[in-house]
Amino acid sequence: MQRILHSINALNEAKQVIPGGVNSPVRAFGSVGGTPRFIKEGRGAYIVDEDNNCYIDFVQSYGPLILGHSDSLVVQAVQDSVAKGLSYGAPTELETNLAKEIISVCEGVEKIRFVNSGTEATMSAIRLARAFSGKDDIIKFEGCYHGHSDSLLVKSGSGLATFGETSSKGVIQDIAKHTLVARYNDLDSVKECIRLSGNVGCIIIEPIAGNMGLVPSKKDFLQGLRELCDKENIVLIIDEVMSGFRVSLQGSYAFYGVKGDLSTYGKVIGGGMPLAAFGGRADIMDMLSPIGGVYQAGTLSGNPVAVSAGLATLALIKQDVGLYERLESLANRLAEGLMSAAKTYNIPLQTCVRGSMMGFFFTQEEVIDWNSAAKSDTEFYAKFHAKMLEKGVNFAPSQFETSFMCKPFNETIIDEVIEKARASFKELKA
Ligand SMILES: Cc1ncc(COP(=O)(O)O)c(C=O)c1O
């Protein structure tokens, strides 16, 4: 048995002063049970908890760490930046440099502004989209997550395409009623929302959804959405907070050839530091304060330390020709290995790979949207998660998250994980 006494005590202590003992709910292991591990360090493919247990880490901070934990050059860039100052509240050339880096590879991004979290990026992009379109209602998709701003904490009501209902206490219905919820990969449901509202100014989508497990949009769906937005004068926000610089250097564009009017970024662009951004067409972005009338600001926005981490991360990604192909091939190796192990024990499993993202669902049916994802056997996932953790493999503590490959992974590590999964399936089916 693994010793986790330190984590158990740390959680109890944290609970006295932090609600649930965590600063973001999924970390509490609510949907899988068991004790969240308190982590003391991360190195490459691995994290180490306070009891000195070591885990192969597929969470990678929920996506940012494409280079793995504590990449020495990123750490060096952060240290160099820290030595000069932590924050100035004034512009730096670093910000212009990072803006240029992103604009040079991200299709459709002509101007960009930095913020501190993906939540801020999507919230600000929506405000801007509403101002540009002059229309109040927005559409989001069931199962997509865009952070926790009020307009986006909605779920579908009854029926296929609906006005949203709040999915969190404290979000007032007066706000939720302006968000309509459509079904992912279903263009008809989007058309129905547009008809129902008559006042839709913005659609926001994860082009490769990673927050209901990994569920990529179908090509004709995303392209159809683009055409629909053009026809209806709707601002399309492509939320690449997770997929940006994760699935390819150009994010989802490399898979779909679809540009947003606005796009949002986070995670990888900060290399593990709190940094996110929204950008897009110059005519829309120039509506932002101080040029235009859409207010948006931040004390620590474009923080030099975070931007330095981002610059180093993007430079290292660019230098490593073949990185995305290598990570995708490792993700495929893992998916195939899990499939084969599951087959041996008659366990229904669906897998999916996009670039360095890998998802798996314990279900018989192909997963194309939230309805099909929700049919997964979450109890089995919880048991599998616990077994793997015991064996030193850290998958996310929810069936509806994605696994992330990182640069330090190799075939030996992936094969070790597959063998551990095989052993876990065997134990669970005994
Ligand atoms: C697609 C997407 N958008 C937005 C967010 C919110 O980002 P943050 O957690 O940095 O606020 C997330 C977070 O997981 C995300 O995956």
Side-chain angles (χ1 to χ4, degrees):
M1 274 298 268
Q2 203 175 48
R3 281 178 56 89
I4 54 166
L5 197 60
H6 197 134
S7 282
I8 292 171
N9 291 337
L11 181 65
N12 287 335
E13 208 175 324
K15 279 180 176 169
Q16 312 291 316
V17 285
I18 298 173
V22 293
N23 283 307
S24 196
V26 72
R27 298 179 197 168
F29 277 31
S31 61
V32 289
T35 302
R37 305 308 196 253
F38 275 60
I39 303 304
K40 67 174 182 186
E41 65 179 321
R43 293 262 170 261
Y46 301 92
I47 47 173
V48 181
D49 72 16
E50 291 285 0
D51 293 277
N52 289 322
N53 301 302
C54 185
Y55 307 85
I56 298 168
D57 184 26
F58 286 100
V59 176
Q60 295 293 331
S61 189
Y62 290 93
L65 305 178
I66 196 165
L67 302 174
H69 291 275
S70 316
D71 178 274
S72 59
L73 294 174
V74 176
V75 169
Q76 187 62 54
V78 167
Q79 286 171 342
D80 291 348
S81 179
V82 165
K84 292 181 192 157
L86 295 175
S87 178
Y88 312 117
T92 62
E93 288 186 332
L94 293 169
E95 292 155 80
T96 314
N97 293 343
L98 186 58
K100 282 185 179 166
E101 278 296 324
I102 295 174
I103 288 169
S104 71
V105 289
C106 293
E107 287 291 331
V109 180
E110 296 167 346
K111 288 199 173 173
I112 193 159
R113 182 163 278 178
F114 295 109
V115 291
N116 303 294
S117 70
T119 295
E120 261 184 90
T122 56
M123 179 186 75
S124 307
I126 284 170
R127 183 177 305 147
L128 193 52
R130 279 183 164 138
F132 183 80
S133 66
K135 295 184 271 188
D136 290 348
D137 289 352
I138 66 172
I139 296 177
K140 82 173 279 287
F141 291 88
E142 201 176 17
C144 285
Y145 176 72
H146 307 284
H148 62 93
S149 68
D150 283 4
S151 291
L152 293 165
L153 282 186
V154 297
K155 58 180 184 205
S156 57
S158 53
L160 176 64
T162 57
F163 285 97
E165 288 175 6
T166 63
S167 65
S168 163
K169 288 184 179 167
V171 174
I172 56 176
Q173 196 54 35
D174 266 359
I175 289 181
K177 75 180 185 195
H178 290 291
T179 305
L180 290 95
V181 183
R183 188 177 281 176
Y184 202 69
N185 276 324
D186 180 347
L187 208 54
D188 284 341
S189 77
V190 182
K191 290 177 185 160
E192 181 58 12
C193 283
I194 294 171
R195 193 193 59 76
L196 213 69
S197 149
N199 195 28
V200 170
C202 163
I203 296 181
I204 184 164
I205 186 164
E206 279 183 84
I208 296 170
N211 288 291
M212 50 176 147
L214 180 60
V215 186
S217 47
K218 294 186 190 294
K219 201 164 185 175
D220 56 349
F221 166 71
L222 203 63
Q223 290 173 345
L225 197 62
R226 176 68 275 176
E227 284 161 23
L228 194 58
C229 286
D230 289 340
K231 184 167 146 248
E232 303 279 350
N233 279 323
I234 292 171
V235 175
L236 178 61
I237 302 176
I238 304 252
D239 181 358
E240 300 252 37
V241 166
M242 191 183 283
S243 53
F245 296 91
R246 230 314 145 192
V247 293
S248 84
L249 198 58
Q250 291 183 298
S252 67
Y253 186 83
F255 291 79
Y256 299 97
V258 172
K259 285 190 235 180
D261 299 299
L262 295 174
S263 299
T264 50
Y265 298 91
K267 301 198 190 252
V268 173
I269 67 160
M273 297 290 287
L275 183 72
F278 62 105
R281 283 168 43 185
D283 58 338
I284 306 183
M285 291 299 290
D286 281 342
M287 288 186 73
L288 278 176
S289 179
I291 319 173
V294 178
Y295 193 70
Q296 187 279 328
T299 301
L300 293 175
S301 290
N303 173 268
V305 184
V307 169
S308 298
L311 277 168
T313 300
L314 298 196
L316 289 164
I317 290 173
K318 273 185 164 174
Q319 271 167 31
D320 190 345
V321 179
L323 173 68
Y324 290 104
E325 289 73 14
R326 221 165 54 241
L327 296 183
E328 180 164 351
S329 132
L330 290 173
N332 277 319
R333 190 179 183 95
L334 178 59
E336 282 156 24
L338 290 180
M339 276 305 260
S340 149
K343 207 165 159 201
T344 310
Y345 297 101
N346 253 334
I347 295 164
L349 186 75
Q350 301 289 324
T351 61
C352 176
V353 169
R354 277 295 177 282
S356 63
M357 292 164 73
M358 202 282 291
F360 59 99
F361 298 91
F362 291 110
T363 178
Q364 214 113 39
E365 231 178 84
E366 189 196 357
V367 177
I368 55 161
D369 57 14
W370 172 243
N371 271 0
S372 43
K375 288 189 181 137
S376 303
D377 186 344
T378 51
E379 278 177 30
F380 190 82
Y381 182 85
K383 290 181 197 156
F384 175 69
H385 174 264
K387 288 274 178 208
M388 293 301 275
L389 211 53
E390 271 279 336
K391 293 177 175 43
V393 180
N394 186 42
F395 282 118
S398 160
Q399 167 74 92
F400 305 114
E401 297 286 350
T402 294
S403 299
F404 298 100
M405 308 299 127
C406 64
K407 185 175 168 167
F409 280 3
N410 56 38
E411 293 184 352
T412 310
I413 291 176
I414 296 296
D415 290 350
E416 182 186 334
V417 173
I418 294 167
E419 278 323 299
K420 288 179 172 175
R422 188 175 285 278
S424 297
F425 289 155
K426 185 174 179 190
E427 288 163 27
L428 290 169
K429 281 293 175 174

